[in-house]
């Protein structure tokens, strides 16, 4: 008999976080599941940790490192459940997580159900952690259960959707980090599949973010914006991503990388009231630099 949920978890060298996430999923009540872990070329103890769990609901697929989109596609190809739940290896679900997903699918057939993720206090309260917590959670704070999140709301870091609603393979191959989720979300939105927030599907995001890592990610997103536009050459995508001459000129003028470099070199401002504004400027400048580097 097919499970209700196929949980697809891509992973790369994060054995300890992965083990915690898988165990939390296996402890869920109210829905049958299989957990498909796609080990995307890990060199750590990932296989041994999973073997130690010894639960027949856990399936491990190993492959050479190919990136997030390829790992998710491989997991989808193995999925047998009625719903596929993509869940990153550092998102640890709370009790009632799967039940909340299933309940919203029952209330709103044909939607994509997005988890309510948050940065837990165990990650600390360093200045950038506080900034990222506010930024990451701000898009859903105060929204009711079932709220439509808009075209940018397909967060495949933790999202479930009817397996029959997804193309095969779901994700387009980008050369680097950035826009894979938005690109698939745009295609789903065009088919009438809306992203809806499941307030009760809470998951702790245990990624210890730092400014340097996010600068690298935003730079990659800037470079990959041109690939997104190449797949969907429309005014909507051009202005959404900034991959057009007008937006690029604006960003280049207002977010010069030279100023961001000066802020990164002397970070005494992090303990002052201007910290959040400077973080936002640096990340926007990093994205702009990526746009300039990736421009065809």
């Amino acid at each position: 008999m097919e499970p209700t949920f196929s949980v697809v978890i891509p992973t790369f060298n994060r054995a300890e976080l992965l083990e915690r996430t898988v165990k939390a999923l296996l402890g869920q009540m109210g829905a049958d599941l299989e957990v498909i872990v796609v080990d995307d070329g890990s060199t750590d103890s990932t296989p041994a940790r999973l073997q130690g769990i010894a639960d027949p609901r856990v399936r491990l697929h190993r492959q050479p490192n190919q990136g997030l989109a390829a790992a998710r596609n491989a997991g989808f190809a193995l999925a047998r459940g009625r719903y596929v739940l993509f869940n990153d290896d550092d998102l640890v679900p709370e009790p009632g997580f799967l039940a909340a997903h299933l309940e919203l699918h029952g209330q709103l057939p044909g939607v994509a159900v997005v988890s309510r993720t948050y940065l837990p206090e165990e990650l600390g309260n360093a200045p950038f952690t506080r900034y990222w917590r506010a930024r990451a959670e701000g898009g859903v704070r105060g929204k009711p259960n079932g709220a439509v999140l808009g075209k940018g709301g397909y967060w495949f870091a933790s999202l479930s959707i009817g397996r029959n609603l997804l193309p095969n393979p779901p994700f387009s191959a980008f050369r680097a980090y950035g826009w894979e989720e938005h690109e698939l979300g745009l295609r789903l939105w065009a088919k009438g599949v809306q992203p809806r927030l499941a307030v009760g599907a809470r998951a702790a995001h245990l990624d210890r973010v730092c400014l340097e890592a996010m600068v690298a990610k935003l730079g990659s997103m800037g470079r990959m914006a041109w690939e997104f536009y190449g797949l969907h050459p429309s005014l909507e995508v051009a202005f959404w991503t900034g991959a057009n001459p007008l937006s690029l000129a604006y960003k280049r003028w207002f977010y010069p990388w030279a100023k961001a470099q000066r802020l990164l070199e002397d970070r005494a401002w992090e303990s002052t009231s201007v910290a959040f504004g400077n973080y936002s400027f640096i990340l926007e400048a990093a994205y702009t630099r990526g746009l300039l580097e990736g421009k065809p």
Side-chain angles (χ1 to χ4, degrees):
M1 186 174 69
E2 71 175 22
T4 305
F5 286 98
S6 292
V7 184
V8 174
I9 307 178
T11 191
F12 176 70
N13 284 344
R14 296 214 282 192
E16 185 175 346
L17 282 174
L18 172 67
E19 182 179 23
R20 186 170 171 182
T21 297
V22 170
K23 286 182 176 179
L25 283 163
L26 294 175
Q28 294 290 310
M29 306 294 289
D32 297 327
L33 80 158
E34 63 176 357
V35 178
I36 303 169
V37 176
V38 181
D39 181 358
D40 192 42
S42 295
T43 57
D44 64 0
S45 61
T46 290
R49 294 257 187 171
L50 288 178
Q51 289 172 4
I53 294 175
D55 190 304
R57 293 174 293 173
V58 179
R59 303 162 62 193
L60 174 62
H61 172 77
R62 304 189 72 187
Q63 63 183 36
N65 184 262
Q66 300 175 51
L68 183 59
R72 285 173 171 165
N73 285 341
F76 175 77
L78 297 171
R80 300 172 298 166
R82 180 180 177 187
Y83 302 104
V84 177
L85 195 157
F86 296 99
N87 197 85
D88 283 359
D89 57 10
D90 58 1
L91 283 164
V92 180
E94 293 184 354
F97 173 84
L98 277 187
H101 272 266
L102 186 59
E103 180 181 13
L104 198 55
H105 279 298
Q107 294 173 357
L108 300 168
V111 304
V113 176
V114 180
S115 306
R116 174 70 167 90
T117 62
Y118 66 97
L119 274 65
E121 291 301 316
E122 69 180 87
L123 294 182
N125 283 290
F128 187 73
T129 302
R130 287 189 284 108
Y131 165 79
W132 195 250
R133 181 178 285 125
R135 176 166 169 162
E137 299 176 17
V140 298
R141 189 175 293 116
K143 292 186 181 295
N145 193 51
V148 181
L149 295 179
K151 290 184 181 179
Y154 298 87
W155 303 325
F156 285 88
S158 189
L159 173 150
S160 67
I161 186 171
R163 181 158 56 93
N164 65 322
L165 296 177
L166 286 165
N168 188 14
F171 295 92
S172 298
F174 284 66
R175 290 178 295 116
Y177 173 86
W179 296 109
E180 298 99 328
E181 297 182 351
H182 300 81
E183 192 278 327
L184 174 55
L186 191 65
R187 286 184 280 139
L188 290 172
W189 184 276
K191 291 172 57 178
V193 181
Q194 296 179 331
R196 300 289 192 121
L197 176 66
V199 173
R202 286 172 52 87
H205 193 182
L206 295 181
D207 186 20
R208 294 188 179 277
V209 295
C210 67
L211 178 56
E212 292 78 7
M214 293 311 302
V215 164
K217 285 188 173 183
L218 267 293
S220 180
M221 285 193 72
R223 292 187 291 274
M224 292 304 101
W226 300 99
E227 291 198 15
F228 186 15
Y229 177 73
L231 292 170
H232 300 277
S234 64
L235 282 176
E236 178 183 33
V237 173
F239 282 97
W240 187 7
T241 62
N244 67 86
L246 182 62
S247 295
L248 196 56
Y250 169 86
K251 289 177 179 292
R252 190 172 190 173
W253 178 263
F254 284 97
Y255 302 104
W257 179 245
K259 179 180 176 180
Q261 282 183 304
R262 293 194 295 271
L263 290 171
L264 288 167
E265 289 167 0
D266 181 5
R267 292 166 64 167
W269 49 266
E270 287 190 286
S271 60
T272 72
S273 60
V274 302
F276 278 27
N278 282 351
Y279 287 139
S280 294
F281 176 88
I282 290 169
L283 295 180
E284 191 63 45
Y287 183 81
T288 301
R289 184 175 66 155
L291 275 173
L292 291 168
E293 291 173 347
K295 183 180 178 182

